[in-house]
Every structure is written in structure tokens, then in C-alpha cells.
Amino acid sequence: MIIETRSAKETYDLGKKIGSQAKAGEVYTLVGDLGVGKTVFTQGLAKGLGIEEPISSPTFTIVQVYEDGRLPFYHFDVYRIGDIEEIGFEDYVYGEGVSLIEWANLIDEILPANRTEITIEKDLEQGFDFRRITVEKRGE
């Protein structure tokens, strides 16, 4: 499925819709260049899970855990990853919450087969705020 958004609000709203439908144990991978809107999308997804606290990219902590929504939310940013096994990656990803992994292409070899891959791309010819968001289920 390919969705086109034309504002940060539309990207946020798409994340919120996906988050509102997310189920325990689901894994979402998120790929896109710097500044493409990964954090905005993630903030929407968290809101869809009922999480009220502010969501920021966990670039230096690798994983942020949010437990105040309808399901636990595990937000990974593996951009600067050394050894992901150090953080108990599998305990989160195969747990009862919802996992979202930014820069997932960097750890492709250890990702679960069952996941939803989300790619966000800019197309400046379509406008500064235009995003093409591809959502693909894998392994099901």
C-alpha cells in the first residue's frame, strides 16, 4: 500500500491510524532518510496506542519503553547501534507490546520475518512537505 501525505499532520495522522489498529506482538520497521518524518510518524503511532507522554527519537539510548498506553510501546532507533543484543532486543520484539524500529535496514538480518515495513520518502518535485509512505506486511 502506498499513501501520499502533504503535511506533517497527515503523516502523524497516518501513524495514529496504524497505532490505533496495532495488536500485541506486532513489529513495525521504519526506514527513511534524515528529516523525512520518521519521528512525526512515530509520534502519531504512539498516540494511536493511547500514549500521552512526549515521544522523541531514542538515538543515544537505542530503545525507549512507553507503558502508559493500551499496549506497551518499544521504540528503537538503531542508527548508532553497536551490538543490539546488549539491550535484550528479542525480549522486546517477541514480547507483548508493539515494537517500532527506526533505521531497521541496518539490522535486517535479525528482524523477525513477520513484520510491517514502512518506508517514508520525500519527492521535492511534489512539494517540500510531500511524503510517499509505503506500508508492506512481510512474512504472513
Side-chain angles (χ1 to χ4, degrees):
M1 169 173 49
I2 297 175
I3 300 104
E4 295 179 349
T5 64
R6 300 194 177 274
S7 69
K9 181 181 181 333
E10 288 181 11
T11 300
Y12 176 92
D13 288 346
L14 175 61
K16 185 176 177 182
K17 179 179 176 184
I18 290 172
S20 71
Q21 298 169 356
K23 296 176 181 63
E26 288 187 325
V27 175
Y28 295 88
T29 61
L30 187 54
V31 176
D33 292 336
L34 287 169
V36 81
K38 292 184 301 296
T39 300
V40 168
F41 178 88
T42 301
Q43 290 167 338
L45 190 139
K47 187 67 165 184
L49 286 168
I51 295 167
E52 297 296 329
E53 67 184 281
I55 304 296
S56 59
S57 193
T59 300
F60 295 102
T61 57
I62 302 171
V63 64
Q64 290 281 76
V65 177
Y66 302 91
E67 295 182 331
D68 67 337
R70 64 180 178 81
L71 292 167
F73 178 48
Y74 311 124
H75 179 201
F76 294 86
D77 183 329
V78 298
Y79 185 71
R80 291 182 171 82
I81 193 68
D83 181 7
I84 197 155
E85 300 303 323
E86 291 176 8
I87 61 165
F89 177 75
E90 290 183 357
D91 294 337
Y92 293 110
V93 171
Y94 295 104
E96 291 301 310
V98 173
S99 297
L100 183 136
I101 306 163
E102 292 188 45
W103 300 100
N105 54 307
L106 299 177
I107 59 165
D108 191 57
E109 67 281 354
I110 66 168
L111 292 173
N114 292 335
R115 63 184 185 261
T116 300
E117 294 181 345
I118 301 166
T119 304
I120 304 177
E121 301 168 291
K122 288 183 183 182
D123 182 348
L124 293 177
E125 290 181 12
Q126 300 267 356
F128 181 76
D129 292 323
F130 176 87
R131 300 295 185 267
R132 181 175 300 107
I133 303 171
T134 305
V135 180
E136 296 180 86
K137 291 212 181 252
R138 298 286 173 160
E140 295 184 351

mmCIF file with all atom_site columns, all heavy atoms in Angstrom, residues 40-53:
data_model
loop_
_atom_site.group_PDB
_atom_site.id
_atom_site.type_symbol
_atom_site.label_atom_id
_atom_site.label_alt_id
_atom_site.label_comp_id
_atom_site.label_asym_id
_atom_site.label_entity_id
_atom_site.label_seq_id
_atom_site.pdbx_PDB_ins_code
_atom_site.Cartn_x
_atom_site.Cartn_y
_atom_site.Cartn_z
_atom_site.occupancy
_atom_site.B_iso_or_equiv
_atom_site.pdbx_formal_charge
_atom_site.auth_seq_id
_atom_site.auth_comp_id
_atom_site.auth_asym_id
_atom_site.auth_atom_id
_atom_site.pdbx_PDB_model_num
ATOM 1   N N   . VAL A 1 40 ? 7.814  12.079 13.422 1.00 0.00 ? 40 VAL A N   1
ATOM 2   C CA  . VAL A 1 40 ? 6.422  12.540 13.352 1.00 0.00 ? 40 VAL A CA  1
ATOM 3   C C   . VAL A 1 40 ? 5.487  11.338 13.199 1.00 0.00 ? 40 VAL A C   1
ATOM 4   O O   . VAL A 1 40 ? 4.465  11.232 13.892 1.00 0.00 ? 40 VAL A O   1
ATOM 5   C CB  . VAL A 1 40 ? 6.228  13.541 12.188 1.00 0.00 ? 40 VAL A CB  1
ATOM 6   C CG1 . VAL A 1 40 ? 4.756  13.803 11.929 1.00 0.00 ? 40 VAL A CG1 1
ATOM 7   C CG2 . VAL A 1 40 ? 6.961  14.839 12.474 1.00 0.00 ? 40 VAL A CG2 1
ATOM 8   N N   . PHE A 1 41 ? 5.828  10.425 12.310 1.00 0.00 ? 41 PHE A N   1
ATOM 9   C CA  . PHE A 1 41 ? 5.034  9.214  12.113 1.00 0.00 ? 41 PHE A CA  1
ATOM 10  C C   . PHE A 1 41 ? 4.964  8.420  13.424 1.00 0.00 ? 41 PHE A C   1
ATOM 11  O O   . PHE A 1 41 ? 3.895  7.957  13.838 1.00 0.00 ? 41 PHE A O   1
ATOM 12  C CB  . PHE A 1 41 ? 5.644  8.351  11.000 1.00 0.00 ? 41 PHE A CB  1
ATOM 13  C CG  . PHE A 1 41 ? 4.906  7.067  10.790 1.00 0.00 ? 41 PHE A CG  1
ATOM 14  C CD1 . PHE A 1 41 ? 3.838  7.009  9.915  1.00 0.00 ? 41 PHE A CD1 1
ATOM 15  C CD2 . PHE A 1 41 ? 5.267  5.919  11.485 1.00 0.00 ? 41 PHE A CD2 1
ATOM 16  C CE1 . PHE A 1 41 ? 3.138  5.820  9.736  1.00 0.00 ? 41 PHE A CE1 1
ATOM 17  C CE2 . PHE A 1 41 ? 4.580  4.732  11.319 1.00 0.00 ? 41 PHE A CE2 1
ATOM 18  C CZ  . PHE A 1 41 ? 3.509  4.684  10.443 1.00 0.00 ? 41 PHE A CZ  1
ATOM 19  N N   . THR A 1 42 ? 6.110  8.262  14.086 1.00 0.00 ? 42 THR A N   1
ATOM 20  C CA  . THR A 1 42 ? 6.184  7.503  15.333 1.00 0.00 ? 42 THR A CA  1
ATOM 21  C C   . THR A 1 42 ? 5.350  8.155  16.425 1.00 0.00 ? 42 THR A C   1
ATOM 22  O O   . THR A 1 42 ? 4.682  7.468  17.203 1.00 0.00 ? 42 THR A O   1
ATOM 23  C CB  . THR A 1 42 ? 7.652  7.359  15.776 1.00 0.00 ? 42 THR A CB  1
ATOM 24  O OG1 . THR A 1 42 ? 8.373  6.700  14.729 1.00 0.00 ? 42 THR A OG1 1
ATOM 25  C CG2 . THR A 1 42 ? 7.778  6.563  17.065 1.00 0.00 ? 42 THR A CG2 1
ATOM 26  N N   . GLN A 1 43 ? 5.378  9.482  16.503 1.00 0.00 ? 43 GLN A N   1
ATOM 27  C CA  . GLN A 1 43 ? 4.550  10.190 17.484 1.00 0.00 ? 43 GLN A CA  1
ATOM 28  C C   . GLN A 1 43 ? 3.072  9.897  17.252 1.00 0.00 ? 43 GLN A C   1
ATOM 29  O O   . GLN A 1 43 ? 2.307  9.702  18.201 1.00 0.00 ? 43 GLN A O   1
ATOM 30  C CB  . GLN A 1 43 ? 4.828  11.686 17.419 1.00 0.00 ? 43 GLN A CB  1
ATOM 31  C CG  . GLN A 1 43 ? 6.200  12.044 17.949 1.00 0.00 ? 43 GLN A CG  1
ATOM 32  C CD  . GLN A 1 43 ? 6.626  13.466 17.620 1.00 0.00 ? 43 GLN A CD  1
ATOM 33  O OE1 . GLN A 1 43 ? 6.129  14.092 16.675 1.00 0.00 ? 43 GLN A OE1 1
ATOM 34  N NE2 . GLN A 1 43 ? 7.571  13.990 18.396 1.00 0.00 ? 43 GLN A NE2 1
ATOM 35  N N   . GLY A 1 44 ? 2.663  9.850  15.994 1.00 0.00 ? 44 GLY A N   1
ATOM 36  C CA  . GLY A 1 44 ? 1.287  9.505  15.672 1.00 0.00 ? 44 GLY A CA  1
ATOM 37  C C   . GLY A 1 44 ? 0.942  8.082  16.062 1.00 0.00 ? 44 GLY A C   1
ATOM 38  O O   . GLY A 1 44 ? -0.116 7.814  16.636 1.00 0.00 ? 44 GLY A O   1
ATOM 39  N N   . LEU A 1 45 ? 1.849  7.152  15.767 1.00 0.00 ? 45 LEU A N   1
ATOM 40  C CA  . LEU A 1 45 ? 1.618  5.751  16.116 1.00 0.00 ? 45 LEU A CA  1
ATOM 41  C C   . LEU A 1 45 ? 1.446  5.604  17.629 1.00 0.00 ? 45 LEU A C   1
ATOM 42  O O   . LEU A 1 45 ? 0.536  4.921  18.096 1.00 0.00 ? 45 LEU A O   1
ATOM 43  C CB  . LEU A 1 45 ? 2.761  4.881  15.603 1.00 0.00 ? 45 LEU A CB  1
ATOM 44  C CG  . LEU A 1 45 ? 2.500  3.378  15.697 1.00 0.00 ? 45 LEU A CG  1
ATOM 45  C CD1 . LEU A 1 45 ? 2.995  2.678  14.439 1.00 0.00 ? 45 LEU A CD1 1
ATOM 46  C CD2 . LEU A 1 45 ? 3.160  2.781  16.907 1.00 0.00 ? 45 LEU A CD2 1
ATOM 47  N N   . ALA A 1 46 ? 2.308  6.272  18.378 1.00 0.00 ? 46 ALA A N   1
ATOM 48  C CA  . ALA A 1 46 ? 2.214  6.218  19.846 1.00 0.00 ? 46 ALA A CA  1
ATOM 49  C C   . ALA A 1 46 ? 0.878  6.780  20.324 1.00 0.00 ? 46 ALA A C   1
ATOM 50  O O   . ALA A 1 46 ? 0.239  6.214  21.212 1.00 0.00 ? 46 ALA A O   1
ATOM 51  C CB  . ALA A 1 46 ? 3.382  6.967  20.475 1.00 0.00 ? 46 ALA A CB  1
ATOM 52  N N   . LYS A 1 47 ? 0.453  7.870  19.737 1.00 0.00 ? 47 LYS A N   1
ATOM 53  C CA  . LYS A 1 47 ? -0.831 8.469  20.107 1.00 0.00 ? 47 LYS A CA  1
ATOM 54  C C   . LYS A 1 47 ? -1.966 7.486  19.829 1.00 0.00 ? 47 LYS A C   1
ATOM 55  O O   . LYS A 1 47 ? -2.897 7.336  20.623 1.00 0.00 ? 47 LYS A O   1
ATOM 56  C CB  . LYS A 1 47 ? -1.043 9.775  19.341 1.00 0.00 ? 47 LYS A CB  1
ATOM 57  C CG  . LYS A 1 47 ? -2.265 10.537 19.780 1.00 0.00 ? 47 LYS A CG  1
ATOM 58  C CD  . LYS A 1 47 ? -2.101 11.061 21.184 1.00 0.00 ? 47 LYS A CD  1
ATOM 59  C CE  . LYS A 1 47 ? -3.145 12.123 21.472 1.00 0.00 ? 47 LYS A CE  1
ATOM 60  N NZ  . LYS A 1 47 ? -2.944 12.700 22.798 1.00 0.00 ? 47 LYS A NZ  1
ATOM 61  N N   . GLY A 1 48 ? -1.876 6.771  18.694 1.00 0.00 ? 48 GLY A N   1
ATOM 62  C CA  . GLY A 1 48 ? -2.875 5.758  18.364 1.00 0.00 ? 48 GLY A CA  1
ATOM 63  C C   . GLY A 1 48 ? -2.901 4.613  19.361 1.00 0.00 ? 48 GLY A C   1
ATOM 64  O O   . GLY A 1 48 ? -3.925 3.939  19.519 1.00 0.00 ? 48 GLY A O   1
ATOM 65  N N   . LEU A 1 49 ? -1.792 4.387  20.042 1.00 0.00 ? 49 LEU A N   1
ATOM 66  C CA  . LEU A 1 49 ? -1.720 3.377  21.103 1.00 0.00 ? 49 LEU A CA  1
ATOM 67  C C   . LEU A 1 49 ? -2.210 3.927  22.443 1.00 0.00 ? 49 LEU A C   1
ATOM 68  O O   . LEU A 1 49 ? -2.241 3.209  23.435 1.00 0.00 ? 49 LEU A O   1
ATOM 69  C CB  . LEU A 1 49 ? -0.278 2.878  21.268 1.00 0.00 ? 49 LEU A CB  1
ATOM 70  C CG  . LEU A 1 49 ? 0.236  1.945  20.183 1.00 0.00 ? 49 LEU A CG  1
ATOM 71  C CD1 . LEU A 1 49 ? 1.745  1.759  20.301 1.00 0.00 ? 49 LEU A CD1 1
ATOM 72  C CD2 . LEU A 1 49 ? -0.478 0.604  20.235 1.00 0.00 ? 49 LEU A CD2 1
ATOM 73  N N   . GLY A 1 50 ? -2.547 5.218  22.472 1.00 0.00 ? 50 GLY A N   1
ATOM 74  C CA  . GLY A 1 50 ? -3.032 5.831  23.701 1.00 0.00 ? 50 GLY A CA  1
ATOM 75  C C   . GLY A 1 50 ? -1.939 6.381  24.585 1.00 0.00 ? 50 GLY A C   1
ATOM 76  O O   . GLY A 1 50 ? -2.168 6.691  25.759 1.00 0.00 ? 50 GLY A O   1
ATOM 77  N N   . ILE A 1 51 ? -0.759 6.559  24.050 1.00 0.00 ? 51 ILE A N   1
ATOM 78  C CA  . ILE A 1 51 ? 0.367  7.076  24.836 1.00 0.00 ? 51 ILE A CA  1
ATOM 79  C C   . ILE A 1 51 ? 0.328  8.601  24.805 1.00 0.00 ? 51 ILE A C   1
ATOM 80  O O   . ILE A 1 51 ? 0.288  9.214  23.735 1.00 0.00 ? 51 ILE A O   1
ATOM 81  C CB  . ILE A 1 51 ? 1.698  6.519  24.305 1.00 0.00 ? 51 ILE A CB  1
ATOM 82  C CG1 . ILE A 1 51 ? 1.715  5.012  24.532 1.00 0.00 ? 51 ILE A CG1 1
ATOM 83  C CG2 . ILE A 1 51 ? 2.894  7.210  24.957 1.00 0.00 ? 51 ILE A CG2 1
ATOM 84  C CD1 . ILE A 1 51 ? 2.782  4.266  23.810 1.00 0.00 ? 51 ILE A CD1 1
ATOM 85  N N   . GLU A 1 52 ? 0.344  9.206  25.979 1.00 0.00 ? 52 GLU A N   1
ATOM 86  C CA  . GLU A 1 52 ? 0.216  10.656 26.093 1.00 0.00 ? 52 GLU A CA  1
ATOM 87  C C   . GLU A 1 52 ? 1.559  11.361 26.280 1.00 0.00 ? 52 GLU A C   1
ATOM 88  O O   . GLU A 1 52 ? 1.685  12.535 25.961 1.00 0.00 ? 52 GLU A O   1
ATOM 89  C CB  . GLU A 1 52 ? -0.713 11.014 27.264 1.00 0.00 ? 52 GLU A CB  1
ATOM 90  C CG  . GLU A 1 52 ? -2.140 10.509 27.080 1.00 0.00 ? 52 GLU A CG  1
ATOM 91  C CD  . GLU A 1 52 ? -2.863 11.137 25.894 1.00 0.00 ? 52 GLU A CD  1
ATOM 92  O OE1 . GLU A 1 52 ? -2.572 12.293 25.557 1.00 0.00 ? 52 GLU A OE1 1
ATOM 93  O OE2 . GLU A 1 52 ? -3.725 10.453 25.309 1.00 0.00 ? 52 GLU A OE2 1
ATOM 94  N N   . GLU A 1 53 ? 2.553  10.645 26.824 1.00 0.00 ? 53 GLU A N   1
ATOM 95  C CA  . GLU A 1 53 ? 3.824  11.319 27.092 1.00 0.00 ? 53 GLU A CA  1
ATOM 96  C C   . GLU A 1 53 ? 4.552  11.651 25.782 1.00 0.00 ? 53 GLU A C   1
ATOM 97  O O   . GLU A 1 53 ? 4.324  11.005 24.763 1.00 0.00 ? 53 GLU A O   1
ATOM 98  C CB  . GLU A 1 53 ? 4.703  10.509 28.036 1.00 0.00 ? 53 GLU A CB  1
ATOM 99  C CG  . GLU A 1 53 ? 5.218  9.201  27.493 1.00 0.00 ? 53 GLU A CG  1
ATOM 100 C CD  . GLU A 1 53 ? 6.000  8.433  28.540 1.00 0.00 ? 53 GLU A CD  1
ATOM 101 O OE1 . GLU A 1 53 ? 7.173  8.777  28.770 1.00 0.00 ? 53 GLU A OE1 1
ATOM 102 O OE2 . GLU A 1 53 ? 5.441  7.472  29.102 1.00 0.00 ? 53 GLU A OE2 1
#
